[in-house]
Amino acid sequence: MIKTNHLVIGSGVAGLTFAVKMAEKFPERNIVIVTKGNEDESNTKYAQGGVAVVLDEEEDSFQKHIQDTLIAGDGLCDASVVETVIKEGPKRLKELIVWGANFDLDATGNFDLGKEGGHSEYRVVHHKDITGFEVERALLSRVHQLKNITLLAHHFAIDLITEHHLSENTSKNINCYGAYVLNEKTGEIITIQAAQTLLAAGGIGSVYGHTTNPVIATGDGVAMAYRAKSKIEDMEFIQFHPTALYNPEGGNLFLISEAVRGFGAYLRNKKGVRFMPKYDDRAELASRDIVSQSIDAELKKSGDACVYLDCTHLNLSEFKKHFPNIYQKCLDQHIDITKDWIPVVPASHYLCGGIVVDKNGKTSISNLFACGECSRTGLHGANRLASNSLLEALVYAHQIFKYQSENLPKLTAHIIPEWNDKGAEIPKEYVLVKHNLKQLQALMRDYVGIVRSNDRLEKAIKHLDLIYTEVEELYKKSKVDTALCELRNMINVAHLIIGQSLERKENKGGYYNLDNL
Ligand code: FAD
Ligand code: SIN
């Protein structure tokens, strides 16, 4: 049993930013971060485009960024949240810089600003095309300097501890008391009792086979919160990024940043026709939902497997300076962007919904907070504006820190039972986990993709029920491990996406159902 003031689940931008702030302000309080896999593995690490932020109010304005966010969110953003996040952005970015993150400057010494879909101005601060790598590096380095943070890598949070686990259950409210955590190296399950718990467990991309996310994005935070009966909303709004590098085998796909289109690249179909102008006046720089839906329409019409991103007309020496990683990655795949078009497809990229939180990052469960991609703050509405995600995590980590600083929690005297897996065995048929994962991903890709229909969603529910039953049976009798827990979590997340899709009767942003036309 570990006891701590603050338990943080996840070591991406959201969890690390909160931990650094808390540890710096309160050196006497201890913070435990648990994270599965290596400490830096996260969606954050792969962020390319950058952080959208208004730094010069003469060239740009908060109002324009607010307006762009509201338009992208298609009427479903919470306007007051949008205003807070955008106006707080510059301060939070400056803190990140103080902690050591470097962002590119132009020849005049000002930030070199990029542009992405849906933005009316150049306002995306970036570190070449590996912004997330730099942010993660800087935050981890700060974390390692702070003595009151314990970072436990290869520690997988299985479930939140709530009233449900206590032998004496006297409270009518649901409270969170910490989490059960699996040491992935030893197989031991430890109980971490915490006065306050922060879920910062990231995205869900792996629920779809084709994704820009790394394999760790299995929706564990959302699933844990859901099982603990926290409020979860807007799960139907899965954002598909228009330009993942095409790979016939699918899987985790390399992203070709939207900033490449911001730099002037064109989308063409196989015949060479630049098709975006016919779908939207903003052409390649329409918001992501529109570009992905347009590509989907083109592919359905032509029967082709991918469309193409044409960079050949651009200033290629500048391109290589801005996008060295993308340039190299394409070369590794024998695509020379100076002559070749890049084959691209839309892929699942970002969860706009998630665990419902208020302005202080509080969930509907007492002492449980959520931050970053697993949370639903109201910023994104039906579709997130590009590069607003790192921004949201930075601002909400601060909001949560501020709230907790003013409401410093104490550990309760509850007796928390240890994890009970008496009678559980190491599963003999691991093929079941692999098989069901493949089935789940195929189901989500084929029935719950960019364009949905009630018929396909109903079919998806039926198939999912079969997978759910088989996996729950296995879970009940098994000694748990990461792969099995992740699969179980992805099934919960799929259930939420399909169920909430069926509830939405109007197409908005990233949600497009043929029966709602
Ligand atoms: P993550 O960074 O994903 O961190 C989650 C952490 O939780 C990880 O450490 C993970 O291991 C851990 N974890 C998960 N489950 C468990 C568990 N059960 N137990 C213990 N630990 C767990 N956004 C932008 O704003 N700008 C961009 O340019 C941009 N580019 C992107 C490019 C790519 C390829 C991708 C995939 C995303 C991009 N995004 C971008 C989105 C953005 O990167 C993410 O939304 C953001 O980084 C999420 O941060 P997070 O801290 O919430 O989650
Ligand atoms: C990208 O660089 O295209 C990703 C940006 C984002 O997801 O915000």
Side-chain angles (χ1 to χ4, degrees), residues 321-454:
K321 273 194 231 151
H322 279 254
F323 306 108
N325 193 42
I326 293 174
Y327 176 72
Q328 189 54 47
K329 182 74 187 183
C330 287
L331 264 192
D332 295 345
Q333 306 292 314
H334 312 291
I335 302 159
D336 176 354
I337 62 129
T338 64
K339 331 195 266 280
D340 305 323
W341 298 344
I342 310 171
V344 289
V345 282
S348 134
H349 181 63
Y350 183 81
L351 173 64
C352 298
I355 307 160
V356 176
V357 294
D358 68 9
K359 280 200 170 176
N360 298 314
K362 287 167 71 180
T363 69
S364 58
I365 295 181
S366 299
N367 300 324
L368 180 67
F369 295 74
C371 189
E373 192 166 340
C374 67
S375 69
R376 182 263 184 217
T377 61
L379 174 69
H380 309 308
N383 173 53
R384 173 177 65 97
L385 183 67
S387 288
N388 265 359
S389 170
L390 295 173
L391 175 72
E392 180 193 49
L394 292 170
V395 172
Y396 266 81
H398 177 78
Q399 302 291 100
I400 298 169
F401 153 74
K402 214 168 62 171
Y403 177 85
Q404 292 198 8
S405 303
E406 289 156 10
N407 299 275
L408 282 179
K410 287 205 181 84
L411 270 172
T412 59
H414 289 91
I415 297 167
I416 313 282
E418 296 289 315
W419 180 262
N420 181 358
D421 60 358
K422 274 200 198 102
E425 290 173 7
I426 296 177
K428 293 182 191 81
E429 294 193 86
Y430 247 95
V431 65
L432 282 180
V433 174
K434 272 202 175 149
H435 171 79
N436 278 303
L437 174 60
K438 285 225 165 81
Q439 295 263 320
L440 174 72
Q441 291 173 330
L443 170 81
M444 293 303 285
R445 190 184 59 235
D446 296 342
Y447 293 172
V448 198
I450 297 176
V451 176
R452 299 178 201 164
S453 73
N454 290 344

Side-chain angles (χ1 to χ4, degrees), residues 83-119:
E83 185 175 349
T84 305
V85 171
I86 283 163
K87 291 191 171 167
E88 281 284 307
K91 283 183 246 161
R92 307 289 71 96
L93 184 83
K94 279 173 196 151
E95 281 170 348
L96 196 53
I97 294 168
V98 169
W99 293 329
N102 294 306
F103 296 99
D104 293 354
L105 302 178
D106 63 18
T108 61
N110 293 315
F111 285 109
D112 180 50
L113 301 176
K115 194 172 186 188
E116 292 178 67
H119 286 279

Side-chain angles (χ1 to χ4, degrees), residues 157-161 165 178-181 223-224 227-228 419 475 488:
I158 304 170
D159 258 322
L160 298 169
I161 301 168
H165 300 94
Y180 291 114
V181 175
M224 280 188 273
R227 288 195 294 271
W419 180 262
Y475 182 81
R488 188 168 177 248

